[in-house]
Amino acid sequence: MNALLSVRGLGVDFETGDGPVHVLENVSLDIAPGEITGIIGESGSGKSVMAFAVMGILDPAARITGGDILFRGESLLAMDPRRRDGWRGREAAIIFQNPRAALNPIRRVGDQIGDVIARHDRPPAHALRGRVEDALRRVGIPDPARRARAWPFELSGGQCQRISIAMALACRPGLLIADEPTTGLDVTTQAAIIALIRALARENGTAVALITHDLALAAATCDRLAIMHAGHVVETAPAPTILAAPRHPYTRALLASAPALAGSINELQPIPGRLPDLRRADLPPCRFAERCPRRIARCDAPGPLGLHEAAPRHLLACRNPP
Amino acid sequence: MSMVLRRLLTAIPTLFGVVVVTFLLTRVLPGDPAVFFASNPSMSAADIAAVREHLGLDLPLRDQFLVYLGNLMHGDLGRSVATGQSVAAEFARRLPASAELTVAAFALAVAIALPLGVAAALRPGSPVDHAARLIATLGASLPSFVTGLLLIFAFYVFAGIAPEPAGRLAPFMVEPERVTGFLTLDALLAGERATFAAALRQLALPAAAMALFALAPLTRMTRAAMIATLGADFIRTARAAGLSRRTIIVTYALRNAMVPVATTMGMTFSYMLGANVLIERVFSWPGIGAFAIDSLINLDYAPLQAFMLVMAAVFITVNLATDLVTALIDPRAAR
């Protein structure tokens, strides 16, 4: 497969006062050009950390312990830092949750978009304004010439997220990471933002990694889904396959606990237990084992647990799949 | 613009309050100025009463206040009993001296504190950060007259490269034609390079001593504000967008951090102008701080009241300037 982005066996630790936290372990994920991939997991499952590692904006306390990240076949981790700066924003971009805080409060939104375009595309000065207005028009901001002069505090949360998207897509990157882009927005705005991301991605052939804990939203939006639990990717498959024939016990539990996907409220099943403490030195090879109804002796056998192909295009990390 | 006008109007009651309070404060000071100025053993009670009447101190407090207020309205700040000079003339001569010293010290402090604070914030725990903390702690803990004396010892007594700490210009030099009242500027305007160099040399040590004192709040605030700003979400956005390090630090982080720093700069500046009494003493600087202390000791009411009034006006002006600068930086503050 000719992946645009290929995360291979990535491990990330966070150094804390009480020792390292093993936030990501042996994480692998491929994203094809133009494909929309949903990355789904509970809070603390490492979704955002993986996104930040790809973008190279990890916290200074984070340490990459192993693996590699390839973009169009080239290692991002081995890339010269100066080239990596140029790569960010031009080849890959990210939008965050809480869009208002994500914008510089004392810089006009048009200037913030202009900063990104000027940095990567270096258009002649007289053309910059037109490029900024184009970027605003593409994300559905009415009257772009006037809106470009607005301050972030004059805009609604949804409009701020549209500005963020305009910034991210201004240089038409091949990959857009959307890290919970609708958190904190009201429901109708959420649907509009997701529809906008999807439409722009399809139009430009941009691959999207949509990070969310909302399984129903991801299932409706994405081509493929990757399920994460406690710093592992446990299952990836095309979205319809995940919904119709999930293989990993955690994926099944997640589906049974999603209100929009379960048949009725009586069928909702909470997932027992909680995420294991990632500071533990004795984490089992399968980090779901302690919550898993299908746990057998083989699950606790030492040795790394990797993804294997359960079916074509369907990867699974489970030693006792149903 | 309307904001400036509104702020100037609200300053009027504040100034009136200052006038009342300074008037009352000087009157409750212990001691009788008439006795003080008549301090000659041969003077009789009648002579003292005559002095008191001459100073207008025999009037009821309310009448004294009304006379004072009436004079103020005409721009008359009264007459110093100690020097016999008009207070307004005395201030016109001394205020530029203090202002020049303060502005020079302030500029020096800002020029050092901002880069130092930013460098410390960019690398917390690094040698630069520790150096910044050391300088700030020294500046905050050493009284400025001590640093002044140390500087005199090091550069005048020991190294012999600084001029004698005796005022703004060596006695044999001719002052340049007065335009701004700042000797360095006036010398430049008159094209007298030698005078400029001499004035600058006189200014260097007291300005350095005062700057060291101002370094502490400015460096600490710059560092704290930069660290807070660098941790903000929009800095992460800027990094993720691949913006250059320079753009991120200067255009994104520093401009945001300047909002609290500008407020601290305003407070530090007003404080420096009034609190350099001891520096002026140590360097025989003919400024208003030294004059105010003399007036206080001499129970010389008029210059004392004028000093407090001038300081209040300076505080109000600097506060207004701070707010204007803040509004320029932060559009949210402009509303």
Side-chain angles (χ1 to χ4, degrees):
Chain A
M1 183 171 130
N2 234 340
L4 174 72
L5 177 77
S6 184
V7 179
R8 300 216 175 140
L10 185 68
V12 172
D13 281 4
F14 272 74
E15 298 299 337
T16 69
D18 345 319
V21 184
H22 311 292
V23 181
L24 292 182
E25 185 186 69
N26 197 20
V27 162
S28 295
L29 180 71
D30 281 357
I31 293 180
E35 190 180 61
I36 303 183
T37 303
I39 300 172
I40 293 132
E42 297 167 66
S43 308
S45 59
K47 312 181 293 279
S48 296
V49 174
M50 180 166 67
F52 286 18
V54 170
M55 294 305 298
I57 52 169
L58 282 171
D59 190 271
R63 200 164 50 86
I64 292 179
T65 54
D68 204 351
I69 306 170
L70 307 180
F71 188 83
R72 297 192 206 279
E74 184 185 0
S75 167
L76 292 178
L77 301 184
M79 196 184 268
D80 170 73
R82 295 188 73 89
R83 263 192 71 213
R84 185 83 187 274
D85 280 348
W87 173 86
R88 276 186 208 112
R90 178 185 188 80
E91 301 286 346
I94 183 167
I95 58 174
F96 302 96
Q97 51 181 304
N98 197 356
R100 196 184 301 279
L103 296 176
N104 186 342
I106 62 169
R107 196 158 173 77
R108 295 180 197 276
V109 295
D111 291 343
Q112 298 191 45
I113 299 171
D115 285 341
V116 181
I117 298 173
R119 159 84 168 134
H120 296 296
D121 288 357
R122 302 174 194 278
H126 64 86
L128 187 59
R129 237 181 90 181
R131 288 279 313 267
V132 169
E133 288 171 18
D134 282 347
L136 286 169
R137 202 171 289 117
R138 283 166 64 207
V139 296
I141 298 272
D143 197 359
R146 195 170 63 86
R147 279 300 182 196
R149 295 188 48 76
W151 304 101
F153 71 88
E154 295 171 334
L155 303 176
S156 70
Q159 281 175 314
C160 283
Q161 193 59 292
R162 283 175 193 267
I163 302 292
S164 294
I165 295 172
M167 258 174 96
L169 298 183
C171 298
R172 304 192 185 255
L175 172 68
L176 171 69
I177 300 176
D179 186 4
E180 310 218 22
T182 58
T183 304
L185 302 178
D186 67 57
V187 180
T188 47
T189 312
Q190 286 185 8
I193 292 291
I194 292 294
L196 176 69
I197 292 174
R198 204 181 139 88
L200 287 175
R202 290 280 186 251
E203 192 183 311
N204 300 308
T206 307
V208 176
L210 176 65
I211 297 174
T212 177
H213 54 258
D214 187 340
L215 190 52
L217 172 85
T221 312
C222 302
D223 304 316
R224 284 177 70 80
L225 298 181
I227 313 293
M228 288 190 73
H229 176 267
H232 285 164
V233 172
V234 296
E235 186 168 14
T236 72
T241 310
I242 293 273
L243 290 183
R247 296 292 305 281
H248 197 281
Y250 178 66
T251 312
R252 296 187 157 203
L254 210 55
L255 284 166
S257 70
L261 298 175
S264 77
I265 196 141
N266 297 328
E267 291 173 34
L268 279 184
Q269 296 286 332
I271 305 175
R274 46 184 172 157
L275 291 178
D277 182 350
L278 298 183
R279 276 171 301 192
R280 275 164 51 187
D282 62 334
L283 281 168
C286 172
R287 293 180 178 180
F288 187 62
E290 287 159 4
R291 308 167 78 179
C292 184
R294 299 184 55 82
R295 183 183 193 178
I296 54 174
R298 190 148 45 95
C299 294
D300 296 323
L305 171 70
L307 288 165
H308 58 268
E309 199 157 36
R313 307 200 63 212
H314 190 161
L315 302 179
L316 186 65
C318 182
R319 287 172 179 169
N320 184 27
Chain B
M1 201 54 229
S2 68
M3 172 183 159
V4 179
L5 210 63
R6 202 167 60 233
R7 290 290 302 268
L8 285 177
L9 284 176
T10 56
I12 292 173
T14 314
L15 277 177
F16 181 76
V18 172
V19 168
V20 174
V21 171
T22 53
F23 178 84
L24 288 176
L25 271 181
T26 47
R27 288 331 185 257
V28 299
L29 284 177
D32 182 346
V35 174
F36 192 86
F37 285 106
S39 58
N40 184 329
S42 67
M43 277 197 158
S44 65
D47 293 331
I48 291 175
V51 170
R52 184 173 292 131
E53 194 178 337
H54 175 70
L55 294 176
L57 295 174
D58 57 333
L59 297 172
L61 211 53
R62 195 196 59 194
D63 292 358
Q64 286 187 38
F65 182 68
L66 289 178
V67 168
Y68 171 56
L69 207 57
N71 289 342
L72 268 188
M73 292 296 172
H74 295 99
D76 180 3
L77 293 173
R79 192 166 286 276
S80 162
V81 183
T83 66
Q85 293 269 325
S86 134
V87 172
E90 192 84 37
F91 267 78
R93 212 162 46 75
R94 288 174 172 271
L95 193 56
S98 287
E100 182 176 32
L101 177 56
T102 306
V103 168
F106 185 71
L108 186 62
V110 169
I112 296 170
L114 284 192
L116 196 60
V118 170
L122 289 176
R123 290 195 170 70
S126 68
V128 179
D129 190 20
H130 290 304
R133 184 170 301 131
L134 182 71
I135 292 173
T137 312
L138 278 181
S141 52
L142 285 176
S144 50
F145 68 91
V146 173
T147 46
L149 287 173
L150 286 176
L151 287 175
I152 290 173
F153 179 76
F155 290 97
Y156 171 63
V157 178
F158 191 71
I161 51 177
E164 188 185 350
R168 305 175 74 187
L169 212 51
F172 55 84
M173 296 205 69
V174 182
E175 287 199 11
E177 189 193 346
R178 183 180 161 125
V179 184
T180 60
F182 284 26
L183 288 188
T184 46
L185 280 184
D186 287 349
L188 276 186
L189 287 175
E192 295 168 30
R193 286 173 171 278
T195 314
F196 170 74
L200 198 62
R201 276 158 55 87
Q202 292 293 133
L203 190 59
L205 286 195
M210 271 176 79
L212 194 62
F213 158 82
L215 271 181
L218 293 177
T219 310
R220 300 303 291 167
M221 185 46 94
T222 306
R223 179 185 182 275
M226 268 307 272
I227 284 183
T229 310
L230 286 170
D233 282 3
F234 64 85
I235 295 296
R236 192 179 59 189
T237 308
R239 284 174 58 208
L243 298 188
S244 69
R245 193 174 151 76
R246 205 190 125 79
T247 310
I248 292 173
I249 292 173
V250 178
T251 314
Y252 280 68
L254 186 57
R255 277 198 56 192
N256 273 278
M258 277 313 285
V259 176
V261 173
T263 308
T264 310
M265 279 165 65
M267 283 165 55
T268 310
F269 182 83
S270 338
Y271 190 62
M272 280 165 82
L273 191 59
N276 55 11
V277 175
L278 291 165
I279 289 285
E280 291 185 356
R281 259 292 134 76
V282 169
F283 290 91
S284 312
W285 200 261
I288 54 169
F291 185 47
I293 282 289
D294 289 344
S295 309
L296 181 64
I297 293 167
N298 294 338
L299 289 175
D300 201 349
Y301 287 169
L304 206 51
Q305 287 169 181
F307 174 76
M308 290 193 261
L309 198 56
V310 167
M311 288 319 299
V314 167
F315 262 85
I316 289 169
T317 313
V318 170
N319 276 346
L320 178 62
T322 306
D323 287 354
L324 288 177
V325 169
T326 308
L328 272 184
I329 303 172
D330 189 345
R332 290 165 297 181
R335 304 205 307 167

PDB file of all heavy atoms in Angstrom, chain B residues 243-264:
ATOM      1  N   LEU B 243       5.317  28.360  11.215  1.00  0.00           N
ATOM      2  CA  LEU B 243       5.828  29.734  11.199  1.00  0.00           C
ATOM      3  C   LEU B 243       7.257  29.752  11.735  1.00  0.00           C
ATOM      4  O   LEU B 243       7.634  28.917  12.557  1.00  0.00           O
ATOM      5  CB  LEU B 243       4.938  30.645  12.055  1.00  0.00           C
ATOM      6  CG  LEU B 243       3.487  30.775  11.595  1.00  0.00           C
ATOM      7  CD1 LEU B 243       2.766  31.842  12.400  1.00  0.00           C
ATOM      8  CD2 LEU B 243       3.402  31.113  10.114  1.00  0.00           C
ATOM      9  N   SER B 244       8.041  30.724  11.274  1.00  0.00           N
ATOM     10  CA  SER B 244       9.446  30.763  11.678  1.00  0.00           C
ATOM     11  C   SER B 244       9.540  31.068  13.167  1.00  0.00           C
ATOM     12  O   SER B 244       8.640  31.684  13.755  1.00  0.00           O
ATOM     13  CB  SER B 244      10.195  31.817  10.878  1.00  0.00           C
ATOM     14  OG  SER B 244       9.761  33.100  11.268  1.00  0.00           O
ATOM     15  N   ARG B 245      10.648  30.636  13.760  1.00  0.00           N
ATOM     16  CA  ARG B 245      10.871  30.832  15.185  1.00  0.00           C
ATOM     17  C   ARG B 245      10.796  32.311  15.546  1.00  0.00           C
ATOM     18  O   ARG B 245      10.227  32.701  16.558  1.00  0.00           O
ATOM     19  CB  ARG B 245      12.266  30.271  15.502  1.00  0.00           C
ATOM     20  CG  ARG B 245      12.559  30.091  16.964  1.00  0.00           C
ATOM     21  CD  ARG B 245      13.903  29.386  17.117  1.00  0.00           C
ATOM     22  NE  ARG B 245      14.517  29.784  18.369  1.00  0.00           N
ATOM     23  CZ  ARG B 245      14.141  29.323  19.556  1.00  0.00           C
ATOM     24  NH1 ARG B 245      13.158  28.477  19.647  1.00  0.00           N
ATOM     25  NH2 ARG B 245      14.736  29.744  20.658  1.00  0.00           N
ATOM     26  N   ARG B 246      11.346  33.147  14.667  1.00  0.00           N
ATOM     27  CA  ARG B 246      11.337  34.584  14.895  1.00  0.00           C
ATOM     28  C   ARG B 246       9.908  35.139  14.949  1.00  0.00           C
ATOM     29  O   ARG B 246       9.554  35.883  15.855  1.00  0.00           O
ATOM     30  CB  ARG B 246      12.113  35.246  13.751  1.00  0.00           C
ATOM     31  CG  ARG B 246      12.702  36.552  14.084  1.00  0.00           C
ATOM     32  CD  ARG B 246      13.223  37.192  12.799  1.00  0.00           C
ATOM     33  NE  ARG B 246      12.626  38.511  12.671  1.00  0.00           N
ATOM     34  CZ  ARG B 246      13.067  39.564  13.350  1.00  0.00           C
ATOM     35  NH1 ARG B 246      14.084  39.448  14.158  1.00  0.00           N
ATOM     36  NH2 ARG B 246      12.474  40.732  13.213  1.00  0.00           N
ATOM     37  N   THR B 247       9.098  34.734  13.978  1.00  0.00           N
ATOM     38  CA  THR B 247       7.708  35.196  13.950  1.00  0.00           C
ATOM     39  C   THR B 247       6.974  34.750  15.207  1.00  0.00           C
ATOM     40  O   THR B 247       6.223  35.523  15.818  1.00  0.00           O
ATOM     41  CB  THR B 247       6.980  34.635  12.712  1.00  0.00           C
ATOM     42  OG1 THR B 247       7.767  34.893  11.565  1.00  0.00           O
ATOM     43  CG2 THR B 247       5.608  35.259  12.565  1.00  0.00           C
ATOM     44  N   ILE B 248       7.205  33.482  15.595  1.00  0.00           N
ATOM     45  CA  ILE B 248       6.494  32.952  16.754  1.00  0.00           C
ATOM     46  C   ILE B 248       6.894  33.732  18.010  1.00  0.00           C
ATOM     47  O   ILE B 248       6.038  34.162  18.787  1.00  0.00           O
ATOM     48  CB  ILE B 248       6.799  31.447  16.929  1.00  0.00           C
ATOM     49  CG1 ILE B 248       6.170  30.659  15.784  1.00  0.00           C
ATOM     50  CG2 ILE B 248       6.277  30.947  18.272  1.00  0.00           C
ATOM     51  CD1 ILE B 248       6.534  29.192  15.763  1.00  0.00           C
ATOM     52  N   ILE B 249       8.202  33.971  18.185  1.00  0.00           N
ATOM     53  CA  ILE B 249       8.657  34.604  19.425  1.00  0.00           C
ATOM     54  C   ILE B 249       8.295  36.092  19.442  1.00  0.00           C
ATOM     55  O   ILE B 249       7.775  36.598  20.431  1.00  0.00           O
ATOM     56  CB  ILE B 249      10.178  34.399  19.609  1.00  0.00           C
ATOM     57  CG1 ILE B 249      10.461  32.917  19.860  1.00  0.00           C
ATOM     58  CG2 ILE B 249      10.703  35.244  20.757  1.00  0.00           C
ATOM     59  CD1 ILE B 249      11.918  32.577  19.877  1.00  0.00           C
ATOM     60  N   VAL B 250       8.531  36.788  18.337  1.00  0.00           N
ATOM     61  CA  VAL B 250       8.338  38.240  18.355  1.00  0.00           C
ATOM     62  C   VAL B 250       6.879  38.608  18.093  1.00  0.00           C
ATOM     63  O   VAL B 250       6.216  39.241  18.912  1.00  0.00           O
ATOM     64  CB  VAL B 250       9.271  38.921  17.316  1.00  0.00           C
ATOM     65  CG1 VAL B 250       9.027  40.418  17.309  1.00  0.00           C
ATOM     66  CG2 VAL B 250      10.719  38.618  17.649  1.00  0.00           C
ATOM     67  N   THR B 251       6.343  38.182  16.939  1.00  0.00           N
ATOM     68  CA  THR B 251       5.005  38.642  16.550  1.00  0.00           C
ATOM     69  C   THR B 251       3.917  37.984  17.389  1.00  0.00           C
ATOM     70  O   THR B 251       2.919  38.623  17.720  1.00  0.00           O
ATOM     71  CB  THR B 251       4.754  38.326  15.063  1.00  0.00           C
ATOM     72  OG1 THR B 251       5.899  38.727  14.319  1.00  0.00           O
ATOM     73  CG2 THR B 251       3.526  39.058  14.561  1.00  0.00           C
ATOM     74  N   TYR B 252       4.089  36.702  17.709  1.00  0.00           N
ATOM     75  CA  TYR B 252       3.022  36.003  18.412  1.00  0.00           C
ATOM     76  C   TYR B 252       3.199  36.066  19.930  1.00  0.00           C
ATOM     77  O   TYR B 252       2.303  36.500  20.635  1.00  0.00           O
ATOM     78  CB  TYR B 252       2.911  34.556  17.902  1.00  0.00           C
ATOM     79  CG  TYR B 252       2.146  34.475  16.601  1.00  0.00           C
ATOM     80  CD1 TYR B 252       2.681  35.017  15.431  1.00  0.00           C
ATOM     81  CD2 TYR B 252       0.884  33.910  16.525  1.00  0.00           C
ATOM     82  CE1 TYR B 252       1.982  34.985  14.239  1.00  0.00           C
ATOM     83  CE2 TYR B 252       0.178  33.877  15.328  1.00  0.00           C
ATOM     84  CZ  TYR B 252       0.734  34.411  14.195  1.00  0.00           C
ATOM     85  OH  TYR B 252       0.025  34.397  13.021  1.00  0.00           O
ATOM     86  N   ALA B 253       4.367  35.638  20.440  1.00  0.00           N
ATOM     87  CA  ALA B 253       4.519  35.543  21.894  1.00  0.00           C
ATOM     88  C   ALA B 253       4.791  36.898  22.539  1.00  0.00           C
ATOM     89  O   ALA B 253       4.079  37.327  23.447  1.00  0.00           O
ATOM     90  CB  ALA B 253       5.628  34.545  22.232  1.00  0.00           C
ATOM     91  N   LEU B 254       5.818  37.609  22.047  1.00  0.00           N
ATOM     92  CA  LEU B 254       6.256  38.821  22.749  1.00  0.00           C
ATOM     93  C   LEU B 254       5.160  39.889  22.753  1.00  0.00           C
ATOM     94  O   LEU B 254       4.928  40.551  23.761  1.00  0.00           O
ATOM     95  CB  LEU B 254       7.546  39.358  22.115  1.00  0.00           C
ATOM     96  CG  LEU B 254       8.178  40.538  22.850  1.00  0.00           C
ATOM     97  CD1 LEU B 254       8.470  40.167  24.292  1.00  0.00           C
ATOM     98  CD2 LEU B 254       9.461  40.991  22.179  1.00  0.00           C
ATOM     99  N   ARG B 255       4.466  40.054  21.633  1.00  0.00           N
ATOM    100  CA  ARG B 255       3.430  41.099  21.592  1.00  0.00           C
ATOM    101  C   ARG B 255       2.332  40.809  22.603  1.00  0.00           C
ATOM    102  O   ARG B 255       1.811  41.721  23.257  1.00  0.00           O
ATOM    103  CB  ARG B 255       2.844  41.209  20.189  1.00  0.00           C
ATOM    104  CG  ARG B 255       3.692  42.077  19.283  1.00  0.00           C
ATOM    105  CD  ARG B 255       2.916  42.541  18.087  1.00  0.00           C
ATOM    106  NE  ARG B 255       1.699  43.256  18.463  1.00  0.00           N
ATOM    107  CZ  ARG B 255       0.737  43.554  17.611  1.00  0.00           C
ATOM    108  NH1 ARG B 255       0.829  43.201  16.365  1.00  0.00           N
ATOM    109  NH2 ARG B 255      -0.327  44.201  18.025  1.00  0.00           N
ATOM    110  N   ASN B 256       1.971  39.537  22.750  1.00  0.00           N
ATOM    111  CA  ASN B 256       0.967  39.196  23.759  1.00  0.00           C
ATOM    112  C   ASN B 256       1.511  39.407  25.166  1.00  0.00           C
ATOM    113  O   ASN B 256       0.800  39.882  26.048  1.00  0.00           O
ATOM    114  CB  ASN B 256       0.517  37.745  23.581  1.00  0.00           C
ATOM    115  CG  ASN B 256      -0.611  37.612  22.585  1.00  0.00           C
ATOM    116  OD1 ASN B 256      -1.770  37.830  22.922  1.00  0.00           O
ATOM    117  ND2 ASN B 256      -0.278  37.309  21.347  1.00  0.00           N
ATOM    118  N   ALA B 257       2.778  39.033  25.361  1.00  0.00           N
ATOM    119  CA  ALA B 257       3.374  39.167  26.690  1.00  0.00           C
ATOM    120  C   ALA B 257       3.545  40.637  27.071  1.00  0.00           C
ATOM    121  O   ALA B 257       3.628  40.973  28.251  1.00  0.00           O
ATOM    122  CB  ALA B 257       4.721  38.441  26.733  1.00  0.00           C
ATOM    123  N   MET B 258       3.591  41.525  26.067  1.00  0.00           N
ATOM    124  CA  MET B 258       3.842  42.942  26.354  1.00  0.00           C
ATOM    125  C   MET B 258       2.692  43.601  27.120  1.00  0.00           C
ATOM    126  O   MET B 258       2.879  44.652  27.724  1.00  0.00           O
ATOM    127  CB  MET B 258       4.094  43.718  25.061  1.00  0.00           C
ATOM    128  CG  MET B 258       5.517  43.637  24.534  1.00  0.00           C
ATOM    129  SD  MET B 258       6.770  43.906  25.767  1.00  0.00           S
ATOM    130  CE  MET B 258       6.633  45.691  25.946  1.00  0.00           C
ATOM    131  N   VAL B 259       1.506  42.994  27.098  1.00  0.00           N
ATOM    132  CA  VAL B 259       0.375  43.626  27.786  1.00  0.00           C
ATOM    133  C   VAL B 259       0.649  43.778  29.283  1.00  0.00           C
ATOM    134  O   VAL B 259       0.642  44.901  29.800  1.00  0.00           O
ATOM    135  CB  VAL B 259      -0.936  42.864  27.503  1.00  0.00           C
ATOM    136  CG1 VAL B 259      -2.068  43.454  28.299  1.00  0.00           C
ATOM    137  CG2 VAL B 259      -1.254  42.905  26.013  1.00  0.00           C
ATOM    138  N   PRO B 260       0.934  42.658  30.009  1.00  0.00           N
ATOM    139  CA  PRO B 260       1.282  42.858  31.430  1.00  0.00           C
ATOM    140  C   PRO B 260       2.604  43.580  31.622  1.00  0.00           C
ATOM    141  O   PRO B 260       2.768  44.321  32.598  1.00  0.00           O
ATOM    142  CB  PRO B 260       1.342  41.435  31.986  1.00  0.00           C
ATOM    143  CG  PRO B 260       1.542  40.556  30.805  1.00  0.00           C
ATOM    144  CD  PRO B 260       0.856  41.234  29.657  1.00  0.00           C
ATOM    145  N   VAL B 261       3.551  43.395  30.705  1.00  0.00           N
ATOM    146  CA  VAL B 261       4.855  44.049  30.859  1.00  0.00           C
ATOM    147  C   VAL B 261       4.698  45.573  30.762  1.00  0.00           C
ATOM    148  O   VAL B 261       5.326  46.315  31.527  1.00  0.00           O
ATOM    149  CB  VAL B 261       5.858  43.518  29.807  1.00  0.00           C
ATOM    150  CG1 VAL B 261       7.149  44.307  29.850  1.00  0.00           C
ATOM    151  CG2 VAL B 261       6.148  42.041  30.044  1.00  0.00           C
ATOM    152  N   ALA B 262       3.830  46.030  29.847  1.00  0.00           N
ATOM    153  CA  ALA B 262       3.629  47.481  29.705  1.00  0.00           C
ATOM    154  C   ALA B 262       3.087  48.076  31.002  1.00  0.00           C
ATOM    155  O   ALA B 262       3.499  49.165  31.418  1.00  0.00           O
ATOM    156  CB  ALA B 262       2.675  47.762  28.547  1.00  0.00           C
ATOM    157  N   THR B 263       2.169  47.362  31.649  1.00  0.00           N
ATOM    158  CA  THR B 263       1.630  47.848  32.922  1.00  0.00           C
ATOM    159  C   THR B 263       2.734  47.957  33.968  1.00  0.00           C
ATOM    160  O   THR B 263       2.847  48.963  34.674  1.00  0.00           O
ATOM    161  CB  THR B 263       0.530  46.886  33.416  1.00  0.00           C
ATOM    162  OG1 THR B 263      -0.407  46.711  32.355  1.00  0.00           O
ATOM    163  CG2 THR B 263      -0.157  47.435  34.630  1.00  0.00           C
ATOM    164  N   THR B 264       3.564  46.925  34.050  1.00  0.00           N
ATOM    165  CA  THR B 264       4.675  46.954  35.006  1.00  0.00           C
ATOM    166  C   THR B 264       5.649  48.077  34.672  1.00  0.00           C
ATOM    167  O   THR B 264       6.174  48.750  35.571  1.00  0.00           O
ATOM    168  CB  THR B 264       5.420  45.603  34.979  1.00  0.00           C
ATOM    169  OG1 THR B 264       4.465  44.563  35.103  1.00  0.00           O
ATOM    170  CG2 THR B 264       6.424  45.518  36.105  1.00  0.00           C
TER     171      THR B 264
END
